[in-house]
Amino acid sequence: MYKWNKYIGTQLKRVIKTFPGILILTLVLSLGMFLALQIIFRLHAQREENQVVQVGIVGDLSDSYLGMGITVLKNSDSVKSMANIESMSEQEAREKLKAGEILAYLVIPDGFVQSLVEGENLAVTYVTTIEAQGIGNVLINELVTAISDMVTMSQNAIYAMQTYLVEQDRNELLSVATEELNYDIIGAVLNRTEMYEMKLLGVSNHLSLQGYYFCSIILLFMLLWGINAVFLFVKDDVSIFKILYARGYGIPGQVLSELGAYFVLMLLNMSCILVAGMFFKSYLGIEIQEWEILDSGEQFLFFCKMIPLVIMISAFQTLLYELVSSVINGVLVQFVSAVGLAYISGCLYPISFFPETIQKMAGFLPTGVGLRYLQKNLSMQNVGIEVLCMTLFTIAFAGAQILIRKKRMIGK
Amino acid sequence: MNKLRKIFLWQYMLNKRLFHKKSFIVLLVLIPVMVFGMKLVAKQDSGIMTIMLCAEQEGDELAEQIIEELLEQDSVIRYTVGDVETAYSAVQAREVDCAWVFREDFRQKLDAFATEDADRQAPVYIIAQEDNVALMMARTNLYGVMYSHYAYYLCENFLQNDVMQEEPVSEEELRAYFEKTAVEESIFFVEYIDQKAGEAEIPFESQEKDSLLMIPMKGLLVVFILLCGLASAMYYLQDEEKGIFAWIPAESKWLFSYGYLTVAMLDAAVVVLFTLCLLQKQVGIRDVFVILLYVGVCAVFCNLLRVLCGKAQNLGRWLPLLIIVMLVACPIFLDFGKGFVGQYFFPPTYYLRAWKNDGMLLYMCLYSLVLGVGTVGLSKLREGL
């Protein structure tokens, strides 16, 4: 027992020696993370204040129909909530698009409305940049498709009516009927909110976006943090393990001692992050509604409950260290696994964005279980199954590491 | 000629060292496999929200037709079909973001709107926990699809009640006119401000659309290239500490360091280009040139960090921070627009913005020049100290 204590003590000394340097980094890292959080939250807040993207509109809007159409479009809830449409000259629009101040602009050709009435269909040009790809563009695509469908269906109705009248030899009614049907159509579009009725049930037990990303970023940090301990744990030379083995330090003991030391280091860092986080949170004015309703005792409990997750992630990362034997590979394996797992577990995009197969798969991944565990802890739900899964994962990772070390020692 | 041979020999030797580790090869192979797997998965039904569609009355033809049309839409909204009984519980349990319920006698209710019936009732009701921007956007889609049918009723009602009161309007005849005069051409065409002269505008519906889930892939791949460079820089510092480069003349060391850093990045760049081909991105000579330029920019960036950190451990400690900041600042997941200055500190931004934009290539060169000068200045300063 004494010799094991000595070995664990040595490992702890090794990691604690690096702690001050890592602590400074952790604090800087926490600041970076909280700044990132703030950007996300501010962006979200902007969306709540009804402006996601800026879109320009170019062309002569003096035509009464067109002017009214644009006003209706600008003030409709769906458009207003997504985009701020601003009328401008083409030169200005090009400059703003190049400078990235607007996402796109629409060029309405002269005589556009007349062309619609006459069935010629002058095209509206949607000018954007090839490099613009992102959620804003995706949303605008949806909107433009819906508007385009509405305009063409309105035209269909008008042309069908006109053809019908012509075929029935009622040409004298054409002009008045066209104008009246146009008014009916405009009225229908204006009153479209009457077509549906809302039944709001009220928010039930689920995490807010802030709460979701709070948990996601904690997990993402833990996963990426594995990179900076590559130097401590990636070893090309296994002779030290052989010597230890010869002196009676068995492989399971070696692995568990290293895991314990790494866990302590990770835990110390998590403590620093949370303390720094609380400071930055109040400084930056970030509000996480689920966190705010917890009293200080419950907040401390939330931190204590993170221990099983920290153990599992530590076991996962020490397994990755065991798999590689050089710094380059260590860094790359940590990065690929951290970003890959974080991505499909819903740390970067909400998991609900993913196809059902991925959502189901994420539920069985260690990171998926870990994220669910954090979320349930934050919303004070029962986490029995998650604790069981994480225990099994930890045993599996440590077991795999023992086997790999054994293989490496024999192989060498 | 002799110098060139020497460079190639060095590249070969350093590559051999990398490929000696099986895990490096596995990792390089894993990248296209993972991305291609993700592409296959992204083809499945996914979206920024899930909406349940329910018809209150079984066998309601029009409601079922609209549900069918919504299901077939190429949209960022994922639709599922359910029934009214499960809709409330699904919304309550947050399994879906909302449910759109098409009321009984849907067609008559839609017709009542066209005839402006005073007792009309909304043909659809929406069950949601709370209203938000995303749901508002989704309702534009709902209205768009409903409108394609509603427009017909508007026309029919107008002809029957306002124009041709004395003679009945035949539905078959009017439907035939609707089909005959149908406008099928798009009224929206897409033009890219950065497209080459002579390239035609394309109809809005035909533009190339990436799945939302695949949007960050290109960005993550180029971060991977940069990370290869940073890991190489750490490796270099470790080797330097061991005195492996002691025999290299001081004046050649800077050139050697660039060569050393590019080896792993070039391997990664080949894998990234191959992966982009798998993603069916058009990869031409220009793309090869841009990625080579990007490798060069990354080499300068990594070299600057190498000089700045001085020790492999220090660089290693900064890596997680650097990755997080890059993932947020560069236009990988979120694009804060070209006006966001923070993004220009990191090489991935230049690659992602230069992918189709020639003008950005110049900024890429300028950026590496500034970093290169900074590296020289910093190393001189360090030597002086």
Side-chain angles (χ1 to χ4, degrees), chain B residues 222-234 237 254 257-259 261-262 265 292-310 315 318-327 329-330 341-351 363-376 378:
Chain B
V222 295
V223 170
F224 176 73
I225 296 181
L226 176 62
L227 209 68
C228 283
L230 290 167
S232 300
M234 284 160 71
L237 287 165
W254 68 271
S257 67
Y258 282 110
L261 296 183
T262 51
M265 283 196 281
L292 286 176
L293 196 62
Y294 174 70
V295 168
V297 173
C298 288
V300 184
F301 180 78
C302 297
N303 226 353
L304 175 67
L305 287 184
R306 176 185 70 81
V307 176
L308 199 69
C309 295
L315 184 53
W318 280 98
L319 273 189
L321 170 69
L322 197 66
I323 294 167
I324 288 194
V325 174
M326 275 196 300
L327 291 181
C330 301
V341 184
Q343 66 187 302
Y344 297 107
F345 290 109
F346 309 105
T349 300
Y350 294 88
Y351 176 81
Y363 286 106
M364 220 164 162
C365 298
L366 205 68
Y367 170 74
S368 36
L369 189 74
V370 172
L371 292 189
V373 171
T375 312
V376 174
L378 201 69

Side-chain angles (χ1 to χ4, degrees), chain A residues 59 83 112 130 134 201 217 219 258 274 317 339 370 378 381:
Chain A
F112 173 67
I130 294 173
L201 307 179
I217 288 187
L219 185 63
E258 286 160 26
L274 279 193
Q317 280 167 342
V339 173
L378 191 60
Q381 292 180 51

Side-chain angles (χ1 to χ4, degrees), chain A residues 21-22 25 28-29 36 39 47 77-78 81-82 94 97-100 106 121 123-131 133 138-139 141-146 148 150-157 159-161 163-165 167-168 170 173 177 180-181 184-185 188-189 192 194-204 206 224 227-228 231 236 324-329 331-333 335-336 339 343 348-349 352-359, chain B residues 18 21 23-24 27 34 38 41 44-48 75-76 78 88 91-92 94 103 110 113 120 122-131 133 136-137 139-141 143 146-148 150-151 154-155 158-159 163 166-167 169-170 173 177-178 181-183 185 187-194 201 204 207 210 212-213 216-217 220 223-224 227-228 231-232 234-235 238 312 316-321 323-324 328 333 336 338-339 353 356-357:
Chain A
I22 289 178
L25 172 87
V28 179
L29 183 55
I39 291 174
R47 282 180 198 173
D77 284 348
S78 50
S81 58
M82 257 194 290
R94 280 187 88 83
L97 182 60
K98 278 184 178 169
L106 292 163
N121 267 17
V124 172
T125 311
Y126 176 82
V127 187
T128 184
T129 60
I130 294 173
E131 62 192 77
Q133 270 194 333
V138 172
L139 296 179
N141 280 350
E142 291 280 314
L143 192 65
V144 170
T145 309
S148 174
M150 278 191 239
V151 174
T152 45
M153 282 319 293
S154 301
Q155 281 181 292
N156 278 1
Y159 302 152
M161 182 273 293
T163 319
Y164 189 85
L165 289 182
E167 300 272 320
Q168 303 290 324
R170 305 295 295 269
L173 296 172
E180 279 182 18
L181 184 55
D184 279 1
I185 286 170
V189 176
R192 68 189 180 287
E194 290 175 20
M195 298 282 250
Y196 45 78
E197 190 186 307
M198 295 295 291
K199 291 192 177 183
L200 300 178
L201 307 179
V203 180
S204 69
H206 79 277
L224 283 175
I227 293 176
N228 63 29
F231 278 99
D236 190 16
V324 294
S325 53
S326 81
V327 171
I328 291 194
N329 296 344
V331 170
L332 294 180
V333 164
F335 170 75
V336 171
V339 173
Y343 185 61
L348 299 164
Y349 277 147
S352 58
F353 281 25
F354 289 83
E356 235 174 87
T357 22
I358 291 274
Q359 288 188 30
Chain B
L18 283 175
K21 311 272 181 201
S23 48
F24 186 70
L27 209 64
M34 277 167 69
M38 196 62 219
V41 171
Q44 292 177 19
D45 207 8
S46 63
I48 58 168
S75 169
V76 287
R78 177 183 11 214
Y88 281 95
V91 171
Q92 199 77 268
R94 207 82 185 173
R103 280 206 162 108
L110 207 58
F113 264 82
R120 64 193 177 184
V124 176
Y125 65 89
I126 296 168
I127 308 166
Q129 286 200 355
E130 55 178 344
D131 202 10
V133 176
M136 277 184 211
M137 183 208 80
R139 290 204 289 271
T140 311
N141 261 17
Y143 187 74
M146 278 208 309
Y147 186 76
S148 61
Y150 181 49
L154 270 176
C155 177
F158 176 75
L159 279 173
V163 187
E166 65 281 9
E167 12 177 326
V169 176
S170 132
E173 226 178 322
Y177 287 132
F178 239 79
T181 58
V183 179
E185 50 204 276
I187 61 155
F188 283 97
F189 275 75
V190 180
E191 184 192 308
Y192 296 107
I193 201 164
D194 28 23
E201 293 174 358
F204 195 81
Q207 65 174 321
D210 267 338
L212 187 70
L213 299 178
M217 282 304 155
L220 289 175
V223 170
F224 176 73
L227 209 68
C228 283
S232 300
M234 284 160 71
Y235 216 24
Q238 219 178 27
R317 283 173 195 157
W318 280 98
L319 273 189
L321 170 69
I323 294 167
I324 288 194
V328 176
F333 287 96
F336 297 115
K338 288 180 188 168
R353 298 226 180 267
K356 297 280 178 192
N357 183 351

